[in-house]
Amino acid sequence: NAGVTQTPKFRVLKTGQSMTLLCAQDMNHEYMYWYRQDPGMGLRLIHYSVGEGTTAKGEVPDGYNVSRLKKQNFLLGLESAAPSQTSVYFCASSYLPLGQQETQYFGPGTRLLVL
Amino acid sequence: GESVGLHLPTLSVQEGDNSIINCAYSNSASDYFIWYKQESGKGPQFIIDIRSNMDKRQGQRVTVLLNKTVKHLSLQIAATQPGDSAVYFCAENSGGSNYKLTFGKGTLLTVNP
């Protein structure tokens, strides 16, 4: 049971390049989330999914797209990377919605540097 | 917008002492609160949670207190150990949301041996 895994661990992009961050969970969780973490700020929700084939916008969705084609995977895409997207990205998952005796379990993070 | 905040950005304690980390929240509709621990280079790790129908909840060496009157949340760590050194975040389910968490900025706890 690997929990929540993220690929890659670290990436450097040039402005305008695209990339996809992969999140995988082996806990059969329905709900998956993408956050970004910036210095001096709390984690901010980018997008989330309440089940296979569904996605929804979070607090800071601009510049990102997501897909949940398989229950165990949640992909975060940057179509045209900008320096403002330099951040640490965390994926999380949960079996139940928040508050139903359930919280979110986080992956180890992906560090992205956009030059 | 409403957000979760922390009173102290850093806290330094001696090994064996008790630690108290505070958090203020402003969204009175939030009804679920969580404390996370984040070690350097790792993702946040769940510590303990509490629902708004409770004032106190205890775990192993940790206690969370919720004061809804003043919208205050605290995490108490008993007999703090060097392994407790990390950044601690409080989070609330944004206005009662089933999916969205609002995080505080975090408090860095340093435990001196």
Side-chain angles (χ1 to χ4, degrees):
Chain A
N1 190 333
V4 180
T5 58
Q6 293 182 232
T7 308
K9 288 184 171 54
F10 177 71
R11 184 76 183 269
V12 178
L13 288 179
K14 294 181 179 179
T15 296
Q17 288 185 317
S18 63
M19 78 163 294
T20 300
L21 283 68
L22 171 65
C23 175
Q25 52 91 8
D26 60 2
M27 298 174 284
N28 199 34
H29 284 174
E30 288 291 337
Y31 306 91
M32 297 188 74
Y33 316 81
W34 274 107
Y35 291 90
R36 59 177 291 172
Q37 185 176 40
D38 301 296
M41 303 184 72
L43 281 82
R44 292 181 292 169
L45 183 65
I46 303 171
H47 286 281
Y48 64 99
S49 168
V50 301
E52 181 179 321
T54 74
T55 62
K57 294 181 179 180
E59 182 183 355
V60 288
D62 294 342
Y64 305 95
N65 57 75
V66 288
S67 64
R68 183 95 182 270
L69 298 179
K70 294 182 179 180
K71 185 177 182 178
Q72 63 269 33
N73 296 336
F74 195 29
L75 279 62
L76 178 70
L78 286 73
E79 291 187 349
S80 180
S84 62
Q85 293 177 304
T86 293
S87 188
V88 181
Y89 292 86
F90 287 100
C91 177
S93 70
S94 65
Y95 185 68
L96 294 171
L98 298 174
Q100 296 186 23
Q101 304 301 318
E102 178 72 358
T103 187
Q104 297 174 7
Y105 298 90
F106 285 81
T110 294
R111 295 182 178 274
L112 177 64
L113 174 62
V114 183
L115 301 175
Chain B
E2 298 192 41
S3 64
V4 175
L6 292 171
H7 294 309
L8 297 174
T10 62
L11 178 63
S12 183
V13 300
Q14 291 297 123
E15 182 178 358
D17 287 352
N18 295 333
S19 302
I20 299 176
I21 301 172
N22 296 303
C23 178
Y25 68 95
S26 56
N27 192 329
S28 58
S30 297
D31 57 10
Y32 180 59
F33 305 88
I34 310 160
W35 280 101
Y36 284 96
K37 172 185 180 183
Q38 187 176 23
E39 297 174 277
S40 181
K42 297 183 179 180
Q45 178 185 2
F46 171 83
I47 301 174
I48 192 168
D49 59 1
I50 188 168
R51 301 189 70 174
S52 60
N53 60 353
M54 302 173 68
D55 297 323
K56 178 180 180 179
R57 192 170 188 210
Q58 289 185 295
Q60 187 176 11
R61 285 200 306 118
V62 293
T63 300
V64 55
L65 299 177
L66 176 62
N67 186 330
K68 295 180 288 293
T69 301
V70 295
K71 298 189 185 69
H72 185 267
L73 194 68
S74 68
L75 176 70
Q76 300 179 0
I77 305 174
T80 313
Q81 303 169 0
D84 294 327
S85 294
V87 176
Y88 290 82
F89 296 95
C90 63
E92 61 177 310
N93 67 331
S94 310
S97 171
N98 281 330
Y99 313 112
K100 298 181 182 180
L101 285 177
T102 298
F103 286 81
K105 294 180 175 60
T107 292
L108 173 61
L109 174 65
T110 301
V111 182
N112 302 309

